Amino acid sequence: MIPFIDLQAQRLRLNGKIEAAVQQAVVGGAWVMGPQVRQFETDLAAFGQAKHALGCANGTDALALPLMAWGIGRGDAVFTPSFTFAATAEIVPWFDAEPVFIDVDARTYNMDPSHLEAAIEATKAEGRLTPRVVIAVDLFGQPADYPAIRAICDRHGLKLISDSAQGFGCTIDGVHPLTWADVTTTSFFPAKPLGCYGDGGAVLTNGDDLAQLMDSIRVHGKAVARDLEGRTFDHDPKYLNMRVGLNSRLDTIQAAVLIEKLKVFGDEIAWRNRIAARYNAGLRDHVAVVPDVPTGNVSNWAQYTIEHPNRDGLAAHLREQGVPTAVYYPIPLHLQPAYEMYPRGPQGLPQTERLKDVVISLPMHADLDEATQDRIIAAVASFKG
């Protein structure tokens, strides 16, 4: 069976560097928030064109941190796509706020700016909820339309989060989503393009005060520099709790792994783009739709996702050929039992509901060799259903 994502190939290519980094962390003995965490945060901020990067326990907590820092709560509306993983929306009810689900663009599968604006205006007109935040998702590795979404947020006075759990490393005209977003969040779940060997996440921001607040919240609301101005406290600041926080810290061993992976991440994005281009060339005549990346955008290709009218038949055929597939997402969030009671933008989410029946993802990782990829392309081309 061809692997869907081959993490061992990457480990072998790095030729012992990850093992050595882990051993160094073990010998160092600073298991949580050790020096490797600080080094990784510095490296990650530089890569992501950010003033500040803060590691945390996972990508879901990364989304929660800015919402807590902004005081999101009961009566607030947070606008999210429905065509995404549950983490994007589940953090909103944590704080008694409500997600408002937005449709996606048929071309990029990312948040539709026109539907977003209509939903904000409808929410204001209804008066039950106060629009506060937009969470745009970089689905499958491609950046959302941040220039348009930022302009909408500015018109309505909303904060903007770039949920780059899948898309960290994507760019628009050479710059990262943080150019437009107040915060970028990401996940280091092992299957992500930049993944660790357990769980982890991060938030990136250019806001000095916001960075301090999120740093405090991730460590039980500890005192940070802004809290200590004019105050004397000679003990560890984690024992002076200025606000209610979380326990959301990045393990040192995971940071050690990520330092080594980040060194080659730029090259891997380039390799993923080469692989995606070969897929597009080989599959264009055999499926309904191949991925389309707008001019000027660079995807990190977290997934390579096509459309086929007989998606389930194709999946069964490929399984017989030893080719694994995945479906993201067979039930959009607004149709899930946990979320079906929350608001949706005007006229519903027709693109989201269409995509759930036709999308299918093929094996994609930076080490996918041409011979294996040609087997996958041939298997797809041979399906006549």
Side-chain angles (χ1 to χ4, degrees):
M1 172 72 79
I2 295 169
F4 188 71
I5 299 173
D6 192 345
L7 298 180
Q8 294 302 325
Q10 182 199 48
R11 182 182 65 81
L12 294 171
R13 169 167 45 83
L14 291 176
N15 195 29
K17 291 180 181 178
I18 289 178
E19 290 86 343
V22 169
Q23 180 65 18
Q24 185 177 3
V26 170
V27 171
W31 309 115
V32 178
M33 299 291 280
Q36 287 88 343
V37 174
R38 303 303 182 196
Q39 180 62 55
F40 175 64
E41 289 175 339
T42 298
D43 296 347
L44 188 70
F47 185 94
Q49 301 171 347
K51 287 183 67 176
H52 308 281
L54 304 171
C56 60
N58 52 68
T60 308
D61 282 1
L63 289 164
L65 287 169
L67 296 188
M68 292 183 72
W70 292 326
I72 300 305
R74 186 183 300 271
D76 290 336
V78 178
F79 300 86
T80 80
S82 174
F83 195 56
T84 182
F85 186 61
T88 306
E90 76 179 344
I91 44 90
V92 180
W94 286 7
F95 308 110
D96 282 339
E98 294 189 30
V100 178
F101 291 115
I102 307 302
D103 207 5
V104 295
D105 177 79
R107 178 184 180 193
T108 67
Y109 306 158
N110 283 326
M111 179 177 278
D112 179 350
S114 63
H115 195 238
L116 169 64
E117 184 139 43
I120 294 170
E121 291 173 348
T123 301
K124 285 184 171 181
E126 181 189 29
R128 187 177 65 85
L129 298 172
T130 301
R132 293 289 304 279
V133 180
V134 173
I135 304 178
V137 176
D138 300 326
L139 198 72
F140 302 149
Q142 179 164 188
D145 187 352
Y146 286 106
I149 295 171
R150 177 77 261 174
I152 293 168
C153 289
D154 287 345
R155 281 196 294 274
H156 295 279
L158 276 61
K159 299 291 189 182
L160 174 57
I161 296 174
S162 162
D163 178 354
S164 269
Q166 293 183 14
F168 185 74
C170 69
T171 55
I172 300 174
D173 294 328
V175 296
H176 290 253
L178 190 61
T179 299
W180 297 275
D182 296 284
V183 175
T184 290
T185 69
T186 193
S187 166
F188 304 125
F189 185 77
K192 304 300 184 186
L194 181 61
C196 58
Y197 285 174
D199 219 337
V203 291
L204 295 88
T205 185
N206 289 322
D208 297 339
D209 285 345
L210 181 57
Q212 286 198 49
L213 269 177
M214 293 191 294
D215 182 30
S216 171
I217 292 167
R218 69 173 172 167
V219 187
H220 301 289
K222 69 175 183 178
V224 290
R226 54 179 281 178
D227 300 318
L228 295 174
E229 293 176 3
R231 182 191 297 265
T232 300
F233 188 76
D234 296 328
H235 305 281
D236 189 327
K238 73 181 180 181
Y239 297 119
L240 179 59
N241 305 109
M242 303 300 296
R243 53 195 57 85
V244 174
L246 302 173
N247 177 19
S248 188
R249 298 168 293 191
L250 182 64
D251 290 345
T252 303
I253 288 175
Q254 302 305 338
V257 170
L258 288 163
I259 288 170
E260 297 304 318
K261 288 195 170 196
L262 186 59
K263 290 176 183 177
V264 298
F265 188 44
D267 288 337
E268 290 185 350
I269 291 174
W271 300 342
R272 285 170 174 268
N273 275 272
R274 182 192 68 230
I275 292 165
R278 291 190 84 249
Y279 263 143
N280 277 5
L283 294 174
R284 195 178 306 276
D285 295 334
H286 303 287
V287 301
V289 175
V290 297
D292 183 11
V293 179
T295 301
N297 289 11
V298 172
S299 174
N300 73 6
W301 295 100
Q303 307 293 344
Y304 181 84
T305 303
I306 58 176
E307 295 181 29
H308 196 285
N310 187 4
R311 186 265 311 284
D312 295 339
L314 174 61
H317 172 77
L318 293 178
R319 188 163 52 248
E320 293 173 355
Q321 303 293 314
V323 177
T325 60
V327 174
Y328 309 98
Y329 296 92
I331 306 179
L333 294 183
H334 73 286
L335 301 179
Q336 296 271 7
Y339 302 100
E340 61 188 2
M341 75 290 292
Y342 291 114
R344 307 165 190 183
Q347 282 75 57
L349 284 69
Q351 289 299 333
T352 297
E353 294 183 14
R354 178 187 69 83
L355 290 170
K356 71 181 178 63
D357 296 322
V358 297
V359 292
I360 185 169
S361 298
L362 302 177
M364 166 58 84
H365 55 89
D367 293 283
L368 183 62
D369 62 85
E370 292 188 358
T372 302
Q373 188 179 18
D374 287 342
R375 284 179 54 199
I376 298 166
I377 292 171
V380 174
S382 68
F383 179 60
K384 305 305 180 185

